Amino acid sequence: TQLLEQSPQFLSIQEGENLTVYCNSSSVFSSLQWYRQEPGEGPVLLVTVVTGGEVKKLKRLTFQFGDARKDSSLHITAAQPGDTGLYLCAGIIQGAQKLVFGQGTRLTINP
Amino acid sequence: DAGVIQSPRHEVTEMGQEVTLRCKPISGHDYLFWYRQTMMRGLELLIYFNNNVPIDDSGMPEDRFSAKMPNASFSTLKIQPSEPRDSAVYFCASSSKYGLKNEQYFGPGTRLTVT
């Protein structure tokens, strides 16, 4: 059973389109992170969100932490081929110490 | 900064052999994590250390797996004996903070194939 459920698991869209990836749980998180992983490499941290309702922007990427700190979303505007990769959400469950990862969303942006 | 360094990058071995994976964390980071990634199970935490001391090894699959951190700049993950189901990519990550942020920096991984 995954503590963090990501959806969709696979997404293939055309360059220039917008997309949203979701990360959901029944657990409350102290903080939540998004990583991007490219083939043959380790995950790279994109952002950390800590406060319920928090929104962070990283160029064309917008990250939101749910008000109840149980879910998060990643929105990409005008996707580019360079956005292709595996996107992982990861969170610290409130009261615990471990970082738990979702199973990832594999995103492909076609030119 | 060189980032987290892992060696070897690829390892192919026969079932029953001992495998040792190595990791050098980012200098100054006092937390070190070992993960395993497979298509079926995703990224799983195996064990983590704080100041060279193992804190939580509940993710270690079984007694065939062991991890050590003899000093702040080096850690090993050993599998003895190895089995085909151990085939995966093993990542080492390090962090300088824990608690709310716990922002981890990953190495490039070691792709292990056990035949």
Side-chain angles (χ1 to χ4, degrees):
Chain A
T1 305
Q2 287 281 350
L3 281 172
L4 276 169
E5 295 285 344
Q6 286 189 239
S7 61
Q9 290 191 35
F10 299 93
L11 183 60
S12 180
I13 63 172
Q14 294 300 120
E15 181 176 1
E17 294 184 1
N18 302 330
L19 67 107
T20 302
V21 173
Y22 300 93
C23 177
N24 295 296
S25 177
S26 57
S27 300
V28 176
F29 292 96
S30 301
S31 66
L32 196 137
Q33 300 171 355
W34 285 91
Y35 291 79
R36 180 169 69 205
Q37 184 178 15
E38 299 189 23
E41 299 181 8
V44 176
L45 180 67
L46 297 174
V47 77
T48 301
V49 286
V50 177
T51 307
E54 183 176 1
V55 176
K56 281 193 174 179
K57 291 192 174 184
L58 186 64
K59 296 183 180 178
R60 295 175 292 100
L61 279 60
T62 301
F63 305 85
Q64 184 161 9
F65 201 11
D67 290 342
R69 305 209 311 278
K70 294 182 178 181
D71 54 84
S72 181
S73 64
L74 158 60
H75 182 79
I76 301 180
T77 304
Q80 299 179 1
D83 296 327
T84 292
L86 178 68
Y87 288 81
L88 296 158
C89 66
I92 298 177
I93 296 175
Q94 205 167 36
Q97 291 290 314
K98 297 181 197 180
L99 192 64
V100 294
F101 281 82
Q103 76 273 38
T105 293
R106 196 165 297 278
L107 175 65
T108 303
I109 310 300
N110 304 299
Chain B
D1 197 326
V4 176
I5 299 173
Q6 290 187 249
S7 65
R9 290 296 310 275
H10 302 272
E11 178 79 37
V12 180
T13 191
E14 292 183 348
M15 182 173 65
Q17 296 298 306
E18 178 179 294
V19 175
T20 300
L21 311 181
R22 296 172 176 81
C23 175
K24 177 179 169 56
I26 293 173
S27 177
H29 282 191
D30 48 11
Y31 286 90
L32 184 139
F33 306 84
W34 281 101
Y35 291 89
R36 178 172 67 177
Q37 187 176 40
T38 61
M39 288 294 291
M40 290 296 295
R41 300 174 66 91
L43 199 60
E44 302 174 281
L45 176 66
L46 300 177
I47 185 172
Y48 78 90
F49 295 82
N50 176 216
N51 291 325
N52 314 336
V53 176
I55 302 300
D56 186 339
D57 65 355
S58 60
M60 295 286 262
E62 48 197 275
D63 292 345
R64 297 185 297 107
F65 285 69
S66 63
K68 294 182 179 179
M69 191 165 186
N71 57 63
S73 60
F74 183 66
S75 177
T76 59
L77 178 68
K78 186 176 293 186
I79 308 172
Q80 167 62 23
S82 58
E83 296 182 3
R85 61 191 167 123
D86 302 330
S87 297
V89 182
Y90 290 81
F91 288 102
C92 175
S94 68
S95 173
S96 64
K97 299 175 186 174
Y98 212 79
L100 282 184
K101 289 208 169 181
N102 187 19
E103 297 171 339
Q104 299 185 14
Y105 296 83
F106 283 77
T110 295
R111 181 174 294 278
L112 174 65
T113 303
V114 183
T115 60

